[in-house]
Amino acid sequence: MNDARAHDAEIAPDGPLGERALQTLASLPNPMLWLDLQGGIAGANPAAEAFFERSQALMRRHGLAELCGEHSTLATLFRSARDTLATFNEYAVEIVPVRGGGERLVDVFIGPLGSPPQQFVIMLQERTIADKMSRQLTHRDAARSIATLAAMLAHEIKNPLSGISGAAQLLESSVSDDDRALTTLIRDETDRIVRLVNRFELFSDARPVRMEPLNIHAVLDHVKAVALSGFARNLRIRESYDPSLPPVFGNRDQLVQVFLNLIKNASEAIGDHSKDGEINLTTAYRPGVRMAIAGSQARVALPLEVCVKDNGPGVPTDLLPMLFDPFVTTKTNGSGLGLALVAKTIGSHGGIVECESAFGWTSFRVLLPTFTAGLDGAAGEA
């Protein structure tokens, strides 16, 4: 009886969960909320703070209805669990936080605490992680297809183009001034095609790349300095780094090129004339995401998160699922190869890259494995 009373006191709505329970919840990678019988938020673990992008103290001042909407599916599920004193599981639930943030697709698990129940626990399992990994495999397949095409283009197109450009150059000395503009046009266009083919060749480069343990913040600092001295000189670039991150196993030049590409895309999306243009660079440690290694039973953890977020107009919804496919671009004169190359490079580092966007913001999230010594140069946590 004394043990029962102690347990009920531990989870009473006016008091916090026990220290051991709080430590357990804090260590879980899934967002967890515990609510009182009125739907007030009695507490949240760090994963829930990251999911809803607000602190536990702020969430405690608002109820679940204010957090997700009174008529949201999550609020309705809580009321059903409270009224029936039963456990509910619901899959593929859409959550749209009332105060900003994009739509999230989650599995929801709700259950009562205590007997009789005095609190309810909600656990969220984000489904988009699996969906994102599935799309990453598609992106890598697309990159391999481009690699095959690149090899063919390099052999079958570049040589004839050199001949066309050389012939146009010879003609310039024997034609009138009016016709010389046409020969110049021929040379300019053949040079443009050659540059495009050269970009294709980046996909077919299968040479081994030198990899080493890297401080990702040193990479980002270099990228920021380059951006501010050039294409992003009229924008603000803010940083929010986790200084305790372990090293990543990668190629410095390739990672610099990846983040330069993402920041350049962000600056172009904001535009040159925006007075409030801002790009945010953030890093964090996100345990719980693992990816299978092809041809092996091993699974690699991808806990290192780097985000590049801008306050531009956002990516059109219909383009988001295919944004990393070759030839897909939101730019008027874009080739559509930059983000495909980003996906290929991050994939070769054993990571994934994804884009989330809504009106007024776009965020590219890169997940990378940590460096583990003694695995024949392999990276990642088994």
Side-chain angles (χ1 to χ4, degrees):
M1 179 66 72
N2 291 338
D3 290 341
R5 284 197 298 268
H7 178 68
D8 288 343
E10 181 180 82
I11 60 174
D14 292 331
L17 290 172
E19 182 178 352
R20 181 175 298 178
L22 284 172
Q23 290 175 348
T24 301
L25 289 173
S27 66
L28 293 176
N30 300 91
M32 305 278 291
L33 300 170
W34 47 102
L35 313 178
D36 60 30
L37 298 180
Q38 290 72 44
I41 297 175
N45 70 344
E49 294 179 299
F51 182 87
F52 289 103
E53 297 184 359
R54 60 192 64 197
S55 67
Q56 179 179 192
L58 182 59
M59 286 191 283
R60 286 173 65 101
R61 292 201 292 269
H62 303 283
L64 184 65
E66 286 80 7
L67 189 65
C68 299
E70 183 178 357
H71 302 291
S72 66
T73 303
L74 190 59
T76 301
L77 286 173
F78 164 71
R79 289 191 290 267
S80 298
R82 180 193 59 190
D83 296 343
T84 61
L85 301 181
T87 298
F88 277 77
N89 298 338
E90 188 75 18
Y91 300 94
V93 174
E94 294 179 355
I95 293 182
V96 182
V98 170
R99 297 186 179 182
E103 178 184 292
R104 314 290 284 272
L105 192 65
V106 300
D107 297 336
V108 180
F109 306 89
I110 302 179
L113 281 174
S115 181
Q118 300 182 52
Q119 288 186 341
F120 283 78
V121 168
I122 296 179
M123 184 181 79
L124 307 179
Q125 173 68 55
E126 192 168 8
R127 289 176 58 95
T128 49
I129 292 295
D131 296 338
K132 289 173 182 178
M133 288 187 173
S134 176
R135 287 200 296 271
Q136 285 299 313
L137 297 178
T138 302
H139 297 154
R140 293 182 187 183
D141 289 341
R144 283 192 289 268
S145 298
I146 287 294
T148 303
L149 179 60
M152 181 197 71
L153 284 173
H155 182 266
E156 300 294 336
I157 295 181
K158 287 179 69 175
N159 289 339
L161 285 176
S162 297
I164 293 172
S165 180
Q169 187 174 5
L170 290 174
L171 285 174
E172 284 186 356
S173 60
S174 59
V175 298
S176 64
D177 291 341
D178 292 338
D179 291 335
R180 189 170 294 115
L182 296 176
T183 60
T184 301
L185 177 62
I186 293 173
R187 293 179 58 193
D188 290 344
E189 287 301 295
T190 54
D191 290 343
R192 184 179 64 84
I193 297 173
V194 168
R195 288 194 298 270
L196 181 62
V197 174
N198 287 336
R199 296 194 67 186
F200 271 111
E201 286 189 294
L202 294 174
F203 288 93
S204 62
D205 188 355
R207 292 174 298 176
V209 177
R210 182 176 180 271
M211 308 277 271
E212 59 184 339
L214 297 171
N215 182 335
I216 193 64
H217 297 138
V219 172
L220 294 176
D221 287 342
H222 175 77
V223 169
K224 177 183 175 182
V226 172
L228 290 177
S229 65
F231 53 81
R233 57 184 173 274
N234 297 323
L235 303 176
R236 291 188 302 275
I237 299 182
R238 301 187 184 276
E239 305 166 352
S240 179
Y241 294 163
D242 180 349
S244 65
L245 287 188
V248 63
F249 192 68
N251 178 273
R252 183 181 183 278
D253 291 341
Q254 289 192 354
L255 290 178
V256 165
Q257 189 59 47
V258 162
F259 292 110
L260 267 178
N261 194 312
L262 293 179
I263 293 178
K264 188 171 188 294
N265 282 351
S267 67
E268 290 175 350
I270 294 172
D272 295 333
H273 306 295
S274 174
K275 296 180 180 178
D276 301 316
E278 183 173 295
I279 298 172
N280 288 285
L281 303 179
T282 64
T283 63
Y285 193 82
R286 306 292 190 200
V289 181
R290 291 177 176 267
M291 195 171 192
I293 300 175
S296 170
Q297 296 295 321
R299 298 177 67 84
V300 172
L302 306 176
L304 299 186
E305 178 189 88
V306 182
C307 290
V308 179
K309 186 173 183 179
D310 66 71
N311 60 351
V315 177
T317 304
D318 57 334
L319 287 184
L320 271 177
M322 59 188 76
L323 196 59
F324 293 94
D325 292 342
F327 307 115
V328 176
T329 181
T330 60
K331 305 173 187 176
T332 304
N333 298 316
S335 65
L337 295 178
L339 288 178
L341 186 58
V342 165
K344 175 183 181 294
T345 302
I346 294 301
S348 69
H349 280 70
I352 60 175
V353 56
E354 267 298 333
C355 177
E356 295 180 346
S357 185
F359 180 76
W361 63 272
T362 298
S363 178
F364 284 90
R365 184 171 73 141
V366 177
L367 294 172
L368 292 165
T370 57
F371 170 70
T372 303
L375 296 179
D376 296 328
E381 298 171 352

